[in-house]
Amino acid sequence: MARKMLIDGELGKTNEDESHYDFDLFVIGAGSGGVRASRFSAQNGAKVGICELPFHPISTEVIGGVGGTCVIRGCVPKKILVYGASYGPELEDARNYGWELNEKIDFNWKKLLEKKTEEIVRLNGIYKRLLANAGVKLFEGEGRVVGPNEVELIQLDGTKINYSAKHILIATGSRARRPAIPGQELAITSDEALSLEELPKRAIVLGGGYIAVEFASIWRGMGATVDLFFRKELPLRGFDDEMRAAVARNLEGRGINLHPRTSLTELVKTEDGIKVRTDHGEEIMADVVLFATGRAPNTKRLNLQSVGVELDDAGAVKVDGHSQTNIPSIWAIGDVTNRMNLTPVALMEGTCFAKTVFGGQPTKPDYGHIPCAVFCIPPLSVVGLSEEQAVEQANSDVLVFTSTFNPMKNTISGRQEKTIMKLIVDSETDKVLGASMCGPDAPEIMQGIAIALKCGATKAQFDSTVGIHPSAAEEFVTMRSVTRRITAGKPKM
């Protein structure tokens, strides 16, 4: 099949010399982004090969699995555990709804773990079938770049075989990072946290990002005592400050012990568990210590710099707007580029890559109005600008609309936990710049709000939309009164 493709960085007609390559495209890494790019490139007529490390729930430098972090040891198993952890508080709330739960209800961690593993094995198989159905050749083993158009595959038996490709795509994702603390080998990362043999009774979490607050919520929901340590005054740096405060209140309200502006200095193994020392002189005992202190691009073993591919100081692959490196035949997408590290973003980048290189439609990923969610309990979800970002970028006054209320469900259950919603509006254009929500079902609601913002919706259009009653979501179309107006260039006090 004749194809249009990028020739030396420019869109051109079919290259008569393509036939001397083993593949039009060889992808290293079969996570979400790599699989998407492979399938869509093959659908455009490209001959595609992809390699991935052998499957296991816990990754190492030589173990991975088709489906990548999100499917095997990230978003999917994490969300399963969030669902599992939510049932405990739900059962408590059920009493005021007439459910007589007289007998003690036990939680079987091993059963949930077994079901979680069954699901990721199933998804691993689905991803393999998706590749096969698209005509993509899957290789199991470790790939590394040995030339601008050559990949070396280290097979499971240790033998090496080389393949040539017109284009090489790096999609190896990222790996959990461990801080250099004495005794750090006693701690675990999110990989191990998703596959613990025993549910901890006492858990310590170090970090203030997505993973930290999510696992704190999971373990607390399952009955563990949880202490969360983070460097800032509030968790979730980079999110709207008002929403960060709401998450912190909810975490504390659910019984999680917060330790702001506190770091760990040493971990010591004892007969009673792990003794943790802090920079405030505290000593706390734990069964499990989770390091949720960020992730690093997975480039260490790819041999990229030896072939001239530029990396940044964090080890991420440097790319242009089309995901192309400084070597025209080598491309990179997903977390390995450290742009916006979300699974749907990697999917978008993979789609754009396939369109650009094999579809004859040069397409840059659009990073505007990308929604995201933190699956703490209850969850936080946002799209667009935070209040702080809007004020910083504003050329006109910023209008802030907020609504804080007790969800209808809580009025009966008696749970003291408020939902908060927020809209950020440009006073001159009336355009909604950002939306955020912390409360039950926030991610489900925010996905719809994201479409509105992507289309450039104004506050007047929100106001003219009829709500669904009774629902929490209707608050987004009934916020009429301005909570505060911030003059351009003057941040709120």
Side-chain angles (χ1 to χ4, degrees), residues 150-198:
E150 191 170 7
V151 171
E152 178 185 79
L153 179 70
I154 305 171
Q155 301 180 103
L156 301 187
D157 62 1
T159 59
K160 298 176 181 178
I161 186 169
N162 286 26
Y163 294 100
S164 60
K166 179 67 182 175
H167 298 277
I168 297 170
L169 177 65
I170 307 301
T172 49
S174 61
R175 297 188 63 207
R177 192 165 43 203
R178 288 173 174 267
I181 297 172
Q184 59 93 13
E185 70 280 357
L186 300 174
I188 63 172
T189 68
S190 55
D191 278 14
E192 296 86 3
L194 290 162
S195 298
L196 288 174
E197 289 188 10
E198 302 289 338

Side-chain angles (χ1 to χ4, degrees), residues 15 69 158 213 223 227 321 376 490:
N15 187 348
T69 298
V213 299
D227 288 84
C376 45
K490 292 185 179 179

Side-chain angles (χ1 to χ4, degrees), residues 387-388 390-392 484-493:
E387 180 175 341
E388 292 72 30
V391 170
E392 184 180 326
R484 54 185 167 272
R485 183 185 188 111
I486 304 170
T487 304
K490 292 185 179 179
K492 67 174 182 177
M493 301 302 292

Side-chain angles (χ1 to χ4, degrees), residues 404-412 414-419:
T404 302
F405 58 93
N406 202 27
M408 184 177 180
K409 185 177 178 182
N410 290 358
T411 62
I412 303 298
R415 181 170 293 280
Q416 299 301 305
E417 193 169 75
K418 302 286 189 182
T419 286

Side-chain angles (χ1 to χ4, degrees), residues 314-375:
V317 181
K318 289 185 177 181
V319 292
D320 65 13
H322 286 103
S323 299
Q324 190 173 32
T325 73
N326 60 301
I327 305 297
S329 58
I330 301 178
W331 311 68
I333 59 171
D335 288 12
V336 77
T337 65
N338 202 27
R339 286 177 284 183
M340 186 175 284
N341 298 339
L342 297 167
T343 296
V345 172
L347 294 173
M348 172 182 66
E349 291 169 354
T351 301
C352 293
F353 164 82
K355 286 182 177 180
T356 297
V357 181
F358 298 106
Q361 305 172 58
T363 306
K364 292 183 179 181
D366 178 4
Y367 298 97
H369 300 110
I370 292 175
C372 65
V374 182
F375 290 99

